[in-house]
Amino acid sequence: MPKIYLTYLSYLKKIKALASQIKREVKLMTLCGTHSQTIAQYNLKSILPTNIRLKAGPGCPICVTSVQDIDNLVKLSLAGIPLAIYGDAWQLAGSEMSLEKAKAQGADVAIIYSVEEALSLSRWKKNLVFFGVGFETTAPMTAWAVKKGLTVYSSHKLFPPAMGALLNSGELKIDGFINPGHVSSIIGLKTYQKFKIPQVVAGFKQEDVLIAIRMLLKQIIESRKEVENEYRRLVKPEGNPQALNLIKEVFEIQPAHWRGLGIIPASGLEIKKKFSQGDAKRKYQDILKKQDKSNFSKPSACQCSAVLRGLKEPQECPLFKKVCAPENPQGPCMVSIEGTCYIDCALTLL
């Protein structure tokens, strides 16, 4: 029997032994779309003890991007402002349309794969705006590009405030968090300590996730509420000081609207006045202030909001795999490859 399989069985055996000591259901929430991909790829939910439940949280930055931000970008694009966006944002709908549909109406919307590519495009596309989206992982590169002269519409968000919002809402009893590895490589461990709940920062391999689950179960049994680091090969306690300094230099912290979670205080990153020449929201305020806000809360049968909060599984949405699929997404959870609905749908079609 291959050594890797024996190790895998050893992890499972330890998890089952710990789970048998807990005489209740345990809900552990993953906070990163890549963790959700790993769990789905290896079908980990099906092999865990029946009292251990894995719930996916709002770990997909595209999925939590607000309707208002997409409406603003559509407004800019239809006013003749060239946009550069990541591919995940291509089909993300606002109240009226997506950027894909805006392009079909003549807007200049380019899909790019890096901030450097956006910066290169801006040298020959006058007034180009880059859609800055993501958590602490991607914010440093956007900050670097702003300093290099790129104009940015920032939808960047800080992840720890969302963890606090989930815990404070009381909608779902969460017994432990599997904290995001990529975000943690930037911010380190200290920020998480204010949350009095078992937490493990984990890597993205199958064994990383299983080890993290085992570590969380041990904390629960021992009545500990600590921040442990399984992903030591990448995540340092202090994080990445250089990246953090870039974020601090270029951005200021403001409230932000998260799809599914509402407005979360001190969770958004807006470009500082010092770099106002690179802030699309200031540069094009005359266009954006005309934006009609009446449709920002347009009703929908899509259950992505509940999925992002761990209250429902994708299969509980009436649109899932019927009307809503990766080739025809009806909600943000089906748009991105890190979205819970996209992951569940794509893997069940294999």
Side-chain angles (χ1 to χ4, degrees):
M1 187 176 292
K3 183 178 179 180
I4 189 170
Y5 188 67
L6 288 173
T7 304
Y8 172 73
L9 290 178
S10 174
Y11 293 147
L12 279 179
K13 184 177 179 180
K14 290 175 181 178
I15 287 172
K16 289 178 180 179
L18 292 169
S20 67
Q21 298 179 46
I22 305 173
K23 308 302 181 183
R24 62 177 178 83
E25 184 178 73
V26 175
K27 291 180 180 177
L28 306 178
M29 178 171 279
T30 59
L31 297 172
C32 179
T34 311
H35 284 143
S36 297
Q37 290 173 334
T38 300
I39 289 165
Q41 180 181 355
Y42 294 101
N43 203 18
L44 296 186
K45 289 183 180 180
S46 68
I47 63 174
L48 291 175
T50 56
N51 64 325
I52 307 301
R53 298 283 303 280
L54 296 181
K55 311 292 289 186
C60 165
I62 290 294
C63 302
V64 299
T65 299
S66 73
V67 172
Q68 180 174 354
D69 282 338
I70 298 302
D71 281 351
N72 283 343
L73 289 162
V74 167
K75 185 79 172 180
L76 289 176
S77 70
L78 294 178
I81 308 299
L83 300 183
I85 66 170
Y86 292 129
D88 278 9
W90 179 238
Q91 292 182 302
L92 187 57
S95 61
E96 296 297 330
M97 70 177 75
S98 64
L99 290 167
E100 178 188 29
K101 291 182 178 178
K103 186 174 178 68
Q105 293 187 16
D108 184 354
V109 183
I111 294 177
I112 50 93
Y113 297 91
S114 69
V115 177
E116 293 96 328
E117 188 178 351
L119 195 58
S120 178
L121 276 176
S122 72
R123 295 190 179 105
W124 60 276
K125 281 196 175 186
K126 187 178 179 182
N127 298 324
L128 179 132
V129 169
F130 169 64
F131 179 29
V133 63
F135 302 133
E136 291 91 339
T137 314
T138 53
M141 284 302 296
T142 301
W144 169 83
V146 169
K147 292 181 67 177
K148 291 288 184 179
L150 185 64
T151 299
V152 171
Y153 183 102
S154 177
S155 183
H156 284 291
K157 293 177 172 62
L158 301 174
F159 197 78
M163 297 169 66
L166 286 167
L167 293 173
N168 293 334
S169 72
E171 292 181 305
L172 177 70
K173 185 183 184 308
I174 302 168
D175 295 290
F177 283 135
I178 298 179
N179 290 1
H182 294 141
V183 167
S184 302
S185 70
I186 302 297
I187 67 174
L189 306 178
K190 185 176 180 180
T191 305
Y192 299 126
Q193 293 173 358
K194 60 187 173 184
F195 305 122
K196 303 307 177 183
I197 184 173
Q199 301 168 70
V200 174
V201 175
F204 302 103
K205 295 180 180 180
Q206 180 183 14
E207 55 266 33
D208 288 320
V209 176
L210 291 174
I211 292 170
I213 292 170
R214 186 193 72 195
M215 292 169 72
L216 286 172
L217 295 181
K218 284 192 69 176
Q219 283 201 49
I220 292 168
I221 290 170
E222 296 169 4
S223 299
R224 292 185 289 117
K225 297 179 180 179
E226 300 174 3
V227 181
E228 295 184 295
N229 185 10
E230 186 275 337
Y231 202 19
R232 293 183 181 181
R233 60 188 184 271
L234 180 65
V235 175
K236 309 303 179 186
E238 69 279 10
N240 185 325
Q242 185 176 2
L244 289 171
N245 286 336
L246 263 175
I247 293 173
K248 186 177 180 180
E249 180 183 1
V250 174
F251 293 110
E252 61 184 6
I253 299 174
Q254 297 287 343
H257 189 281
W258 297 56
R259 288 205 206 203
L261 280 77
I263 295 175
I264 301 178
S267 68
L269 292 175
E270 299 291 348
I271 297 171
K272 287 183 175 180
K273 190 174 182 179
K274 174 183 176 182
F275 297 98
S276 59
Q277 76 280 0
D279 184 0
K281 294 179 185 179
R282 287 188 175 100
K283 190 173 182 178
Y284 299 111
Q285 57 184 321
D286 289 342
I287 296 173
L288 297 178
K289 70 181 181 182
K290 300 176 184 177
Q291 180 66 49
D292 178 16
K293 299 182 180 181
S294 61
N295 292 320
F296 284 170
S297 299
K298 191 174 181 180
S300 171
C302 172
Q303 297 297 305
C304 182
S305 175
V307 172
L308 287 169
R309 305 198 306 277
L311 301 176
K312 289 190 176 182
E313 297 295 330
Q315 294 78 8
E316 297 178 75
C317 177
L319 305 182
F320 182 73
K321 290 178 62 176
K322 298 180 178 70
V323 178
C324 186
E327 65 275 10
N328 183 41
Q330 300 299 302
C333 291
M334 191 65 84
V335 168
S336 171
I337 59 172
E338 292 189 340
T340 306
C341 294
Y342 182 102
I343 292 167
D344 279 23
C345 188
L347 286 168
T348 54
L349 291 176
L350 293 177

